[in-house]
C-alpha cells in the first residue's frame, strides 16, 4: 500500500507492506528499520536505521504537528484511496467563484477598508486586525467583488470567524 | 538600603527582578492582572496584590492604583521593568511624591529622552552625532510630506512617544506616505496614548548598536560595552549579541564616550541604554536613549559578570556601583533570542493558547529568562514575548553553536513559537559571518520558507503514528479472521503512555 505524507508543498511517498503482523516501511525501494516509542506528554523516541530522534507530535485538525530538533512540520498523511477521493472533491469545489475570508488570528477589528459591492484587486487592504498591540492587514488574495461583510470596526473576533465574502 | 520592592510589571522581567531581590535579601511585591493570576512571577514574589482588569489599561498602566498598593504594603521602592510605566515621567514623579524610591532615572531625564525633538537638540549640543530629519512632531500631514520630500526617501515615520517598534513605518515610495503616517499614528495612539509622529532619514545599510550605561548618584557615568541588535522583524529586535562583530577597540571607545556624553547631558542616573545606528561607512548616529532596563540586558550581564538589576537597586539606594570604570573589553560572547508566541508558518500571526508542556534547554552557560510555565495561558492582552534564551561561550562561533543546540532542545507544546525560525537564522551563512544590517530579515526571505533537514524523519513519524492509530481502530472492531494480533497490541501498548 502506498501512503503519502505532505509537508506543505513537499510530498514523501512510503510503501507499506504488512509483514507478519508488523509493518515494513520502504522509501524509494529501501527498507526503513523503525521503532517509535511514546514517552508521554506527546513526546516520542524514533529510531530509524540506527539513528535516534526525539520528537513531539500533536494531532490536531487532521494534521500531525511535529517538532523535532527545534524544527516544526505540519504533516498530512493519507493512503492512495483517500488522496484520490480528496482530489476529486477538490476539483468539484474548485469551480465555484466565492472566497470566504476568515480571521487568521483572534483580535480586534480596528478598521474595515471596503464596502459591500466594492470591486477589489489583489493586494488591496480589506480590513485591519489588531492583536497583541500590533496591526495586521488582511489583504485580498485575488481580484473580485465584496459580496458580504460579517463584521464591523470595533468588533472582537475569534480565530476562523467569518470576516468577508469575496465573489 | 531598600528593603521592599514592588515590581510594576509582569512576565519574565517581573520574575527576573524578583530573583535579584531575593538574592539581595530584599522583599518583593507582585501586582497582577486577572489573566496573570497563575503566572510564576505572582507565586514567586513574597507578596502579591490584584490589580483586577484584563487589558494593560485596566491593570499594569494604572499608576495611581499601583502606588496605592505600594503604600499599603509599605514598599520603599518600585521597579517598573520595561514597557508599561517604565518610561512614564509622571509615574516616576508620583512615586517619588509618595515617598517611594523609583528604581530608574530622574523624571526629567525620562521626559527629555522621551521627547525625540528635545533629545535631539540636547544631543547636538553635547556633541553626539544624530540622523538628519524633522525637528518636531508632525501636526499637518501635508507639511510632513514636504519634509519627507526634502530629507529624501526612504524615510522612517516614528511615534514620538514610541519604542519597541510600535508606531513605526518605513516609507520608500512617496505614494505610501499618507497611509503610513496614519497607520503609525493609530498604532502609537493605541500603544502609548499619544499619536504624535516625526520623520527622519533612513540610514544606509544600518546596524543597530547600543551601549549600556550605568550612572550613580554622585554623577559617575560608565558604559558596559555594546549590544548589537540588528536582527529585527518589523523593527522589533529578535536577536541580540555582545560584543558586536563590527566594533574594534577604537570604535568601541569612541561610541562609548559618546554614550556617556549622552547620559551626562540629560543628568542621567541608574541603568540606561544609548542606541546608535552605524552605517556602511562605520559612521554612528544617536538614535534614542532608553531610560530603563532593556529586554536584552542579559547579554551584557553574561559578558561583564554584572547583575544589572542589582546595580539598579544599589544606585537607587545611593550605594556605590560594583565598578567605577567602563568596560573596554567584554569577556567572551553572548547571544539572546526572544521567543515569541507567534506562528512563523503563518506570517508570524499571534498564537495565543494554553501551554501544555514546556521544558527549556539546559547545559553549561545556557540561561532562560521565562515568564511562563506548564498550564499557563498566553493571552492576547499583552506582548507575545514569552521567554528569552541566552547563551555564553568563549567566542562568537562557539556561542552560535551553543544557541543552535539550545533552540533544538527547547520543548514547548500548545502554542506556536518562533523557535524554528530563530534556529534557521542562527544557521544562516550571512548571520554566521556577521554580514548583516537591520534589513537582514527583509532581504533573506528564504528564511521564512526554507527547507530543513528533518522533513523525512518527521514524515516517517507521522506515518507510523497514523498507522498505529488506524490499527487501533481495527483492533476494537471485529476482525474478519477472528485472530488477535499480538504484535499490533504490543505496538499499541508501546504508544499508549500518557
Amino acid at each position: 500500500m502506498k501512503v503519502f505524507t505532505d509537508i506543505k508543498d513537499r510530498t514523501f511517498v512510503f510503501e507499506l507492506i504488512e509483514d507478519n503482523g508488523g509493518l515494513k516501511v520502504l522509501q524509494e525501494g529501501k527498507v526503513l528499520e523503525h521503532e517509535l516509542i511514546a514517552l508521554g506528554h506527546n513526546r516520542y523516541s524514533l529510531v530509524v536505521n540506527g539513528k535516534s530522534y526525539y520528537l513531539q507530535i500533536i494531532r490536531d485538525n487532521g494534521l500531525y504537528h511535529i517538532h523535532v530538533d527545534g524544527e516544526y512540520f505540519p504533516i498530512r498523511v493519507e493512503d492512495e484511496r483517500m488522496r484520490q477521493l480528496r482530489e476529486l472533491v477538490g476539483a468539484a469545489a474548485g469551480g465555484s467563484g466565492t472566497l470566504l475570508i476568515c480571521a487568521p488570528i483572534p483580535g480586534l477589528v480596528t478598521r474595515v477598508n471596503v464596502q459591500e459591492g466594492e470591486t477589489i484587486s489583489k493586494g488591496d487592504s480589506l480590513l485591519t486586525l489588531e492583536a497583541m498591540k500590533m496591526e495586521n492587514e488582511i489583504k485580498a488574495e485575488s481580484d473580485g467583488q465584496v459580496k458580504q461583510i460579517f463584521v464591523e470596526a470595533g468588533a472582537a473576533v475569534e480565530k476562523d470567524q467569518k470576516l468577508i465574502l469575496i465573489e | 538600603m531598600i528593603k521592599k520592592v514592588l515590581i510594576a510589571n509582569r512576565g519574565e522581567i517581573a520574575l527576573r527582578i524578583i530573583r535579584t531581590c531575593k538574592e539581595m535579601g530584599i522583599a518583593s511585591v507582585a501586582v497582577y492582572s486577572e489573566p496573570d493570576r497563575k503566572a510564576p512571577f505572582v507565586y514567586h514574589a513574597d507578596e502579591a496584590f490584584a490589580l483586577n482588569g484584563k487589558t494593560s489599561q485596566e491593570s499594569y498602566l494604572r499608576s495611581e492604583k499601583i502606588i496605592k498598593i505600594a503604600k499599603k504594603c509599605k514598599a520603599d521602592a518600585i521597579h517598573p521593568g520595561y514597557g508599561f510605566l517604565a518610561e512614564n515621567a509622571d509615574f516616576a514623579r508620583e512615586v517619588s511624591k509618595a515617598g517611594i524610591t523609583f528604581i530608574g532615572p530622574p523624571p526629567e531625564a525620562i521626559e527629555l529622552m522621551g521627547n525625540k525633538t528635545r533629545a535631539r537638540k540636547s544631543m547636538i549640543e553635547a556633541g553626539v552625532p544624530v540622523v538628519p530629519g524633522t525637528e518636531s512632531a508632525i501636526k499637518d500631514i501635508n507639511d510632513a510630506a514636504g519634509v519627507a520630500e526634502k530629507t529624501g526617501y526612504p524615510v522612517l515615520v516614528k511615534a514620538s512617544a514610541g519604542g519597541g517598534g510600535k508606531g513605526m513605518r518605513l516609507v520608500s515610495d512617496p505614494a505610501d506616505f499618507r497611509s503610513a503616517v496614519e497607520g503609525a499614528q493609530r498604532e502609537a495612539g493605541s500603544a502609548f496614548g499619544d499619536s504624535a509622529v516625526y520623520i527622519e532619514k533612513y540610514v544606509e545599510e544600518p546596524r543597530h548598536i547600543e551601549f549600556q550605561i550605568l550612572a550613580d548618584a554622585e554623577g559617575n557615568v560608565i558604559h558596559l560595552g555594546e549590544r548589537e541588535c540588528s536582527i529585527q522583524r518589523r523593527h522589533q529586535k529578535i536577536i541580540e549579541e555582545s560584543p558586536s562583530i563590527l566594533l574594534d577597540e577604537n570604535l568601541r571607545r569612541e561610541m562609548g564616550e559618546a554614550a556617556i556624553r549622552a547620559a551626562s547631558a540629560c543628568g542621567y542616573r541608574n541603568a540606561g541604554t544609548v542606541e546608535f545606528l552605524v552605517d556602511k561607512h562605520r559612521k554612528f548616529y544617536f538614535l534614542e536613549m532608553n531610560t530603563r532596563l532593556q529586554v536584552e540586558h542579559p547579554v551584557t550581564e553574561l559578558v561583564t559578570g554584572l547583575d544589572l538589576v542589582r546595580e539598579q537597586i544599589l544606585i537607587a539606594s545611593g550605594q556605590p556601583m560594583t565598578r567605577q570604570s567602563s568596560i573596554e573589553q567584554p569577556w567572551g560572547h553572548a547571544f539572546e533570542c526572544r521567543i515569541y508566541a507567534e506562528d512563523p508558518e503563518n506570517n508570524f500571526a499571534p498564537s495565543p493558547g494554553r501551554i501544555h508542556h514546556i521544558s527549556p534547554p539546559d547545559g553549561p552557560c545556557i540561561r532562560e529568562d521565562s515568564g511562563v510555565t506548564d498550564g499557563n495561558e498566553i493571552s492576547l492582552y499583552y506582548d507575545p514575548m514569552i521567554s528569552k534564551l541566552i547563551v555564553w561561550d568563549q567566542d562568537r562561533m562557539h556561542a552560535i553553536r551553543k544557541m543552535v543546540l539550545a533552540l533544538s532542545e527547547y520543548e514547548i507544546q500548545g502554542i506556536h513559537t518562533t523557535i524554528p525560525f530563530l534556529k534557521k537564522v542562527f544557521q544562516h551563512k550571512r548571520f554566521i559571518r556577521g554580514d548583516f544590517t537591520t534589513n537582514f530579515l527583509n532581504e533573506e526571505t528564504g528564511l521564512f520558507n526554507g527547507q530543513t533537514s528533518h522533513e523525512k524523519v518527521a514524515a516517517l513519524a507521522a506515518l507510523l503514528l497514523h498507522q498505529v492509530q488506524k490499527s487501533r481502530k481495527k483492533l476494537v472492531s471485529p476482525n474478519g479472521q477472528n485472530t488477535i494480533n499480538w504484535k499490533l497490541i504490543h505496538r499499541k501498548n508501546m504508544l499508549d503512555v500518557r
Side-chain angles (χ1 to χ4, degrees):
Chain A
M1 176 178 55
K2 258 191 194 161
V3 179
F4 298 83
T5 53
D6 296 322
I7 306 179
K8 289 189 287 181
D9 51 355
R10 307 242 298 160
T11 302
F12 294 94
V13 187
F14 296 93
E15 184 87 33
L16 299 189
I17 300 165
E18 292 276 347
D19 175 27
N20 193 21
L23 201 59
K24 211 177 204 177
V25 179
L26 288 93
Q27 194 192 22
E28 289 161 3
K30 282 188 200 132
V31 177
L32 300 174
E33 296 289 343
H34 60 86
E35 190 171 45
L36 183 70
I37 304 288
L39 305 169
H41 294 292
N42 305 312
R43 299 166 307 141
Y44 294 84
S45 163
L46 172 65
V47 178
V48 194
N49 292 346
K51 288 208 166 155
S52 171
Y53 301 94
Y54 174 63
L55 310 97
Q56 299 161 65
I57 310 178
I58 292 157
R59 199 177 169 193
D60 180 40
N61 234 342
L63 289 176
Y64 292 88
H65 300 271
I66 298 197
H67 293 264
V68 49
D69 232 357
E71 294 169 11
Y72 162 74
F73 309 96
I75 302 180
R76 179 168 51 204
V77 183
E78 46 191 13
D79 59 30
E80 224 161 352
R81 219 179 48 202
M82 284 300 293
R83 195 176 184 83
Q84 281 166 355
L85 208 65
R86 187 173 54 83
E87 278 168 2
L88 278 173
V89 173
S96 98
T98 59
L99 178 68
L100 183 63
I101 295 172
C102 299
I105 48 168
L108 192 73
V109 178
T110 47
R111 260 186 327 159
V112 180
N113 302 322
V114 290
Q115 291 178 336
E116 281 178 15
E118 196 175 319
T119 307
I120 51 157
S121 21
K122 189 181 170 179
D124 282 358
S125 174
L126 301 176
L127 58 76
T128 312
L129 259 186
E130 192 188 279
M132 288 172 168
K133 305 254 178 266
M134 294 293 268
E135 287 198 343
N136 300 274
E137 298 267 332
I138 309 290
K139 289 182 174 172
E141 283 170 21
S142 59
D143 299 347
Q145 196 178 20
V146 179
K147 184 133 195 253
Q148 202 179 345
I149 300 174
F150 303 98
V151 290
E152 50 189 47
V157 294
E158 297 295 318
K159 185 175 192 283
D160 296 329
Q161 189 173 327
K162 290 191 283 187
L163 299 176
I164 292 173
L165 187 67
I166 305 285
E167 202 169 34
Chain B
M1 187 69 193
I2 288 165
K3 290 200 170 56
K4 191 190 271 190
V5 175
L6 180 145
I7 296 110
N9 215 301
R10 62 180 297 279
E12 66 88 18
I13 194 62
L15 184 56
R16 194 249 159 279
I17 295 164
I18 289 168
R19 284 185 173 131
T20 293
C21 287
K22 289 195 168 182
E23 278 180 37
M24 296 177 77
I26 296 169
S28 52
V29 182
V31 289
Y32 59 91
S33 66
E34 280 169 25
D36 279 341
R37 177 63 188 88
K38 291 181 182 172
F41 78 91
V42 179
Y43 55 76
H44 282 300
D46 295 318
E47 297 175 33
F49 295 91
L51 290 167
N52 304 318
K54 289 184 174 136
T55 64
S56 306
Q57 280 82 2
E58 291 165 350
S59 55
Y60 299 104
L61 288 171
R62 293 202 48 191
S63 49
E64 72 307 327
K65 194 164 186 178
I66 290 169
I67 294 171
K68 219 166 133 188
I69 292 170
K71 277 181 166 164
K72 197 176 82 181
C73 72
K74 300 201 165 53
D76 47 8
I78 292 182
H79 196 306
Y82 54 69
F84 298 124
L85 297 165
E87 289 172 284
N88 182 324
D90 291 338
F91 178 66
R93 207 166 269 134
E94 289 304 316
V95 169
S96 304
K97 246 193 232 163
I100 299 167
T101 303
F102 179 76
I103 303 178
E108 296 75 29
I110 302 178
E111 239 154 26
L112 176 65
M113 286 303 180
N115 181 318
K116 304 278 150 87
T117 315
R118 279 182 58 205
R120 194 181 152 85
K121 216 180 253 170
S122 96
M123 287 307 105
I124 295 169
E125 282 165 15
V128 180
V130 299
V131 181
T134 45
E135 293 295 324
S136 52
I138 301 172
K139 301 241 160 52
D140 184 88
I141 196 155
N142 291 318
D143 292 349
V147 174
E149 205 64 53
K150 221 163 56 188
T151 311
Y153 284 92
V155 295
L156 273 180
V157 179
K158 299 167 87 177
S160 292
K166 278 158 195 161
M168 185 163 5
R169 294 283 193 284
L170 170 64
V171 192
S172 306
D173 184 348
D176 298 334
F177 184 74
R178 196 167 284 269
S179 72
V181 170
E182 285 167 2
Q185 283 177 328
R186 239 189 348 270
E187 222 169 86
S190 99
F192 314 112
D194 176 1
S195 62
V197 294
Y198 72 108
I199 295 169
E200 70 181 26
K201 178 156 181 65
Y202 192 65
V203 178
E204 277 176 292
E205 295 182 21
R207 295 174 77 129
H208 177 117
I209 297 174
E210 59 187 31
F211 273 73
Q212 177 67 49
I213 289 295
L214 287 180
D216 69 12
E218 252 94 86
N220 302 315
V221 186
I222 63 170
H223 77 77
L224 303 180
E226 77 279 11
R227 290 183 291 257
E228 166 136 28
C229 319
S230 296
I231 307 298
Q232 306 183 354
R233 208 184 69 79
R234 284 168 54 156
H235 301 291
Q236 186 97 38
K237 299 164 188 169
I238 60 169
I239 294 169
E240 300 98 348
E241 62 180 300
S242 183
S244 163
I245 200 167
L246 192 73
L247 265 54
D248 54 20
E249 265 175 56
N250 287 335
L251 189 52
R252 179 172 299 121
R253 189 175 312 119
E254 209 184 317
M255 289 178 74
E257 280 166 7
I260 289 175
R261 280 203 301 280
S264 304
C266 66
Y268 204 78
R269 203 167 66 234
N270 215 291
T273 296
V274 182
E275 297 188 331
F276 296 103
L277 283 181
V278 185
D279 71 8
K280 59 178 178 184
H281 313 292
R282 290 162 63 89
K283 277 210 146 104
F284 64 91
Y285 306 95
F286 171 83
L287 192 59
E288 62 183 27
M289 181 163 185
N290 292 315
T291 54
R292 55 168 154 83
L293 188 67
Q294 297 274 89
V295 175
E296 60 273 24
H297 75 276
V299 293
T300 297
E301 295 185 322
L302 294 193
V303 296
T304 62
L306 292 170
D307 177 332
L308 292 185
V309 174
R310 185 192 297 152
E311 297 304 317
Q312 285 193 295
I313 293 173
L314 289 175
I315 292 168
S317 303
Q319 308 260 332
M321 303 185 279
T322 302
R323 55 178 296 146
Q324 301 297 318
S325 59
S326 294
I327 288 190
E328 303 294 339
Q329 193 56 55
W331 188 53
H333 202 102
F335 278 105
E336 175 185 276
C337 276
R338 300 188 187 191
I339 296 172
Y340 287 91
E342 290 175 342
D343 182 3
E345 298 286 321
N346 185 15
N347 196 26
F348 293 86
S351 177
R354 182 182 294 273
I355 296 176
H356 298 306
H357 169 75
I358 183 165
S359 170
D362 211 339
C365 305
I366 293 175
R367 162 175 167 183
E368 201 227 9
D369 280 17
S370 163
V372 295
T373 187
D374 284 3
N376 281 173
E377 196 84 36
I378 303 300
S379 75
L380 276 169
Y381 298 109
Y382 316 110
D383 194 90
M385 192 184 80
I386 53 167
S387 93
K388 303 182 312 206
L389 189 55
I390 310 116
V391 303
W392 180 93
D393 215 314
Q394 62 193 53
D395 57 32
R396 191 168 188 271
M397 195 57 230
H398 283 88
I400 287 175
R401 287 187 200 142
K402 184 157 284 176
M403 183 61 93
V404 171
L405 173 72
L407 287 167
S408 303
E409 276 191 16
Y410 205 120
E411 293 174 31
I412 181 159
Q413 292 174 15
I415 54 167
H416 288 287
T417 72
T418 48
I419 290 171
F421 176 72
L422 290 165
K423 192 179 163 189
K424 284 187 205 169
V425 175
F426 273 89
Q427 290 173 316
H428 195 280
K429 272 188 199 145
R430 275 185 63 199
F431 179 82
I432 292 169
R433 281 204 305 269
D435 165 25
F436 49 73
T437 71
T438 54
N439 290 322
F440 180 72
L441 296 184
N442 297 330
E443 292 158 5
E444 299 295 338
T445 47
L447 276 168
F448 297 87
N449 43 26
Q451 284 179 17
T452 42
S453 42
H454 290 306
E455 277 179 321
K456 226 195 242 179
V457 171
L460 177 63
L463 166 90
L464 293 174
L465 200 58
H466 185 74
Q467 293 306 317
V468 168
Q469 282 171 349
K470 253 173 63 181
S471 63
R472 193 176 294 170
K473 275 182 208 154
K474 238 195 255 168
L475 278 178
V476 291
S477 62
N479 177 325
Q481 288 131 38
N482 268 333
T483 54
I484 295 169
N485 200 327
W486 291 107
K487 269 201 177 167
L488 276 178
I489 287 176
H490 172 65
R491 237 164 235 287
K492 173 186 175 295
N493 288 341
M494 294 280 265
L495 286 161
D496 252 3
V497 187
R498 290 272 168 239

